[in-house]
């Protein structure tokens, strides 16, 4: 039975041809419909159609085509991302993240970058009124000592990592170390934007230790600002390896971008068997929620027939409590969701669900940027 075609975009003839070329470079067969055969260049409402099974991949490609420069870059062959970024602060929960990160890199045949950013004491303690008069050379000796200390700490960590690899406890993954001076979240985001890692893997404290870090948590800032997927690994979890993941809860708001995120998630974990639980918190008694969830069920059963799915509508007065109960009752190993780019005031006064979950749960999270 021939697979049905779906319309992925409606453009002018010229733009439709460009999109068709980009999709075909990425291995997606594309077709142009509704063309004026006599004067195709003035045909309006030209449809670009693809096979339905190619929809997640096509949406991800179109997402990156926001400007002319991106279009021409997309016309070139895209190299597969092959690096996992592992920000570290030499804490116990940082080491826990390293273990998971190395296993994650191994199944994706990726290199690991151990990344540490140190903040000079003068910068963190400097009064706001003194910013203009701050002398960058005043604390050169202090900065040099901090750099030496950071080098010493990361070298100690590398000794531990080498021992783990040599004993067979961790996979033999190529890794390198990077040190940067500056605000950690800014340095991490900047490095990720330049080098486009497959994912960022970061550790978090246990939920009973996070309240004091509610505003300043580096992990929470990375989750809300990163354009690449972020894995958060709490220090108290028993999960060490990707193959230990048996149940994943995917939080959906019925957006197209959920298809893109899910496709990435499956690509990360495709060598292993796991059950996927689609969940939606129905906080306003949306009568369409069950119908939308039914539509998702039909789509994913058709295109991911080798994965076991369950579908759940959560309710209750408090969303965090509803998530907690579901995670506990269903033995969830990983919670996955998408988050949106937000400005500073939104992050401080109206934090996203992903940010709230970082401080609330001891369950690993995989967060995608929408």
């Amino acid at each position: 039975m021939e697979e049905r075609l779906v319309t992925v975009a409606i453009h002018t003839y010229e733009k439709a041809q460009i999109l068709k070329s980009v999709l075909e470079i990425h291995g997606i067969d594309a077709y142009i419909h509704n063309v004026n055969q006599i004067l195709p260049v003035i045909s309006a409402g030209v449809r670009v159609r693809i096979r339905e099974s190619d929809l997640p991949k096509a949406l991800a490609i179109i997402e990156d085509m926001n400007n002319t420069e991106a279009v021409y870059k997309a016309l070139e062959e895209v190299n597969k991302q092959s690096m996992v970024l592992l920000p570290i602060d030499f804490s116990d929960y940082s080491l826990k993240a390293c273990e998971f990160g190395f296993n994650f890199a191994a199944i994706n045949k990726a290199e690991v970058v151990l990344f540490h950013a140190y903040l000079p004491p003068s910068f963190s303690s400097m009064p706001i009124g003194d910013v203009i008069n701050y002398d960058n050379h005043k604390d050169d000796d202090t900065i040099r000592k901090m750099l030496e200390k950071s080098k010493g700490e990361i070298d100690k960590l590398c000794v531990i990592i080498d021992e783990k690899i040599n004993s067979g406890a961790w996979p033999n993954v190529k890794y390198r170390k990077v040190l940067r001076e500056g605000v950690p979240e800014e340095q991490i985001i900047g490095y990720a934007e330049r080098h486009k890692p497959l994912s960022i893997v970061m550790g978090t404290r246990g939920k009973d230790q996070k309240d004091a870090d509610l505003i300043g948590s580096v992990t929470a800032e990375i989750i809300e600002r990163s354009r690449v997927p972020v894995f958060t690994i709490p220090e108290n979890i028993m999960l060490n390896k990707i193959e230990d993941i048996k149940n994943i809860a995917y939080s959906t708001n019925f957006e197209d971008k959920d298809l893109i995120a899910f496709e990435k998630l499956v690509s990360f974990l495709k060598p292993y068997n796991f059950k996927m639980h689609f969940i939606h918190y129905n906080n306003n008694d949306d009568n369409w929620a069950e119908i939308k969830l039914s539509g998702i069920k039909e789509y994913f059963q058709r295109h991911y027939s080798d994965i076991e799915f369950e579908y759940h509508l959560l309710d209750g007065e408090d969303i965090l409590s509803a998530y907690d109960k579901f995670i506990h009752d269903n033995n969830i190993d990983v919670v996955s969701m998408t988050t949106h780019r937000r400005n500073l005031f939104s992050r401080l006064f109206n934090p996203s669900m992903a940010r709230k979950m970082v401080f609330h749960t001891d369950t690993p999270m995989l967060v995608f940027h929408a």
Side-chain angles (χ1 to χ4, degrees), residues 39-67:
L39 295 171
V41 293
I42 64 172
S43 179
V46 175
R47 298 174 182 270
V48 181
R49 309 192 77 191
I50 61 172
R51 291 190 301 267
E52 189 177 15
S53 59
D54 289 328
L55 184 59
K57 185 177 179 181
L59 288 173
I61 294 167
I62 295 171
E63 180 78 10
D64 291 333
M65 296 173 61
N66 294 325
N67 53 59

Side-chain angles (χ1 to χ4, degrees), residues 156-172:
K156 289 179 184 177
L157 178 61
C158 290
V159 170
I160 296 174
I161 291 173
D162 290 341
E163 290 175 351
K164 298 282 188 182
I165 292 175
N166 293 333
S167 68
W170 290 13
N172 189 2

Side-chain angles (χ1 to χ4, degrees), residues 324-339:
D324 267 347
K325 185 177 187 305
F326 182 84
I327 290 169
H328 178 268
D329 292 347
N330 294 274
N331 298 314
I332 298 300
D333 299 306
V334 173
V335 175
S336 184
M337 62 179 63
T338 57
T339 190

Side-chain angles (χ1 to χ4, degrees), residues 102-141:
F102 269 73
N103 281 282
F104 177 71
I107 69 166
N108 287 284
K109 298 180 174 57
E111 176 189 26
V112 167
V113 173
L114 300 174
F115 188 95
H116 177 70
Y118 57 93
L119 189 63
S122 298
F123 185 94
S124 58
S125 61
M126 182 174 55
I128 294 177
D130 291 343
V131 172
I132 297 177
N133 298 321
Y134 179 62
D135 183 358
N136 287 326
H137 302 286
K138 183 177 180 180
D139 287 330
D140 281 351
D141 188 55

Side-chain angles (χ1 to χ4, degrees), residues 6-11 18-20 22-23 26 28 30 48-50 54-67 70-71 74 257 260:
V6 296
T7 299
V8 73
I10 300 176
H11 284 309
I18 293 175
L19 177 57
K20 181 176 183 292
V22 172
L23 293 174
H26 289 80
I28 298 175
V48 181
R49 309 192 77 191
I50 61 172
D54 289 328
L55 184 59
K57 185 177 179 181
L59 288 173
I61 294 167
I62 295 171
E63 180 78 10
D64 291 333
M65 296 173 61
N66 294 325
N67 53 59
V71 170
K257 297 184 191 250
I260 302 172

Side-chain angles (χ1 to χ4, degrees), residues 249 251 279-283 312-332 335 337 353 357 360-361 363:
S251 176
I279 58 177
H280 174 71
Y281 180 69
N282 194 23
N283 61 335
H312 312 265
L313 286 176
L314 307 185
D315 53 24
E317 295 183 1
D318 179 53
I319 186 171
L320 293 177
S321 297
Y323 272 66
D324 267 347
K325 185 177 187 305
F326 182 84
I327 290 169
H328 178 268
D329 292 347
N330 294 274
N331 298 314
I332 298 300
V335 175
M337 62 179 63
M353 182 60 190
M357 287 290 288
H360 182 76
T361 184
T363 302

Side-chain angles (χ1 to χ4, degrees), residues 7-206:
T7 299
V8 73
I10 300 176
H11 284 309
T12 62
Y13 181 77
E14 182 180 11
K15 289 185 178 180
Q17 286 284 16
I18 293 175
L19 177 57
K20 181 176 183 292
S21 299
V22 172
L23 293 174
E24 289 177 344
I25 283 175
H26 289 80
I28 298 175
D29 292 330
Y31 309 90
I32 294 179
H33 288 195
N34 295 357
V35 178
N36 183 329
Q37 298 296 334
I38 299 176
L39 295 171
V41 293
I42 64 172
S43 179
V46 175
R47 298 174 182 270
V48 181
R49 309 192 77 191
I50 61 172
R51 291 190 301 267
E52 189 177 15
S53 59
D54 289 328
L55 184 59
K57 185 177 179 181
L59 288 173
I61 294 167
I62 295 171
E63 180 78 10
D64 291 333
M65 296 173 61
N66 294 325
N67 53 59
T68 303
E69 182 181 358
V71 170
Y72 288 110
K73 286 183 179 179
L75 288 170
E76 301 175 358
E77 189 67 33
V78 178
N79 294 324
K80 184 179 179 182
Q81 297 163 324
S82 57
M83 182 261 286
V84 173
L85 184 59
L86 248 169
I88 52 174
D89 63 0
F90 314 121
S91 62
D92 290 340
Y93 61 90
S94 188
L95 183 62
K96 186 74 174 181
C98 281
E99 181 177 10
F100 187 91
F102 269 73
N103 281 282
F104 177 71
I107 69 166
N108 287 284
K109 298 180 174 57
E111 176 189 26
V112 167
V113 173
L114 300 174
F115 188 95
H116 177 70
Y118 57 93
L119 189 63
S122 298
F123 185 94
S124 58
S125 61
M126 182 174 55
I128 294 177
D130 291 343
V131 172
I132 297 177
N133 298 321
Y134 179 62
D135 183 358
N136 287 326
H137 302 286
K138 183 177 180 180
D139 287 330
D140 281 351
D141 188 55
T142 302
I143 294 174
R144 180 181 56 79
K145 289 179 179 178
M146 287 193 68
L147 176 59
E148 291 176 354
K149 180 181 179 182
S150 296
K151 285 181 177 179
E153 293 285 356
I154 204 168
D155 286 342
K156 289 179 184 177
L157 178 61
C158 290
V159 170
I160 296 174
I161 291 173
D162 290 341
E163 290 175 351
K164 298 282 188 182
I165 292 175
N166 293 333
S167 68
W170 290 13
N172 189 2
V173 172
K174 180 182 177 182
Y175 72 91
R176 55 192 171 89
K177 50 194 178 182
V178 174
L179 292 173
R180 291 287 188 271
E181 177 189 336
V183 180
E185 51 266 44
E186 299 295 339
Q187 294 298 321
I188 294 167
I189 291 293
Y191 191 90
E193 288 179 349
R194 289 190 300 273
H195 298 278
K196 303 294 188 294
L198 184 68
S199 178
I200 299 173
V201 178
M202 299 187 69
T204 63
R205 293 183 175 90

Side-chain angles (χ1 to χ4, degrees), residues 152-315:
E153 293 285 356
I154 204 168
D155 286 342
K156 289 179 184 177
L157 178 61
C158 290
V159 170
I160 296 174
I161 291 173
D162 290 341
E163 290 175 351
K164 298 282 188 182
I165 292 175
N166 293 333
S167 68
W170 290 13
N172 189 2
V173 172
K174 180 182 177 182
Y175 72 91
R176 55 192 171 89
K177 50 194 178 182
V178 174
L179 292 173
R180 291 287 188 271
E181 177 189 336
V183 180
E185 51 266 44
E186 299 295 339
Q187 294 298 321
I188 294 167
I189 291 293
Y191 191 90
E193 288 179 349
R194 289 190 300 273
H195 298 278
K196 303 294 188 294
L198 184 68
S199 178
I200 299 173
V201 178
M202 299 187 69
T204 63
R205 293 183 175 90
K207 64 180 180 181
D208 57 338
Q209 301 177 37
K210 294 174 186 169
D211 291 343
D213 290 337
L214 187 58
I215 293 179
S217 168
V218 174
T219 303
E221 282 295 302
I222 300 303
I223 277 180
E224 293 207 312
R225 296 172 56 190
S226 172
R227 293 190 176 275
V228 301
V230 181
F231 247 123
T232 67
I233 310 298
E235 64 176 332
N236 297 322
I237 65 164
M238 299 301 294
L239 185 70
N240 297 318
K241 300 178 181 179
I242 295 291
E243 54 262 42
D244 295 335
I245 298 174
K246 303 302 179 186
N247 289 282
I248 301 174
Y250 188 92
S251 176
T252 179
N253 284 321
F254 309 121
E255 298 178 346
D256 290 345
K257 297 184 191 250
D258 286 342
L259 300 179
I260 302 172
F262 185 81
E263 179 69 18
K264 290 181 181 178
L265 188 154
V266 171
S267 70
F268 286 163
L269 307 176
K270 59 187 174 185
Y272 303 104
N273 295 320
F274 54 88
K275 180 189 286 188
M276 180 65 63
H277 302 257
F278 275 95
I279 58 177
H280 174 71
Y281 180 69
N282 194 23
N283 61 335
N284 56 359
D285 296 324
D286 181 4
N287 295 328
W288 288 96
E290 290 192 23
I291 297 174
K292 293 174 183 176
L293 203 60
S294 176
I296 284 181
K297 179 178 181 180
E298 179 184 349
Y299 176 87
F300 283 103
Q301 284 180 336
R302 185 163 64 248
H303 295 288
Y304 301 93
S305 57
D306 55 335
I307 299 176
E308 182 180 357
F309 291 98
E310 287 190 4
Y311 305 85
H312 312 265
L313 286 176
L314 307 185
D315 53 24

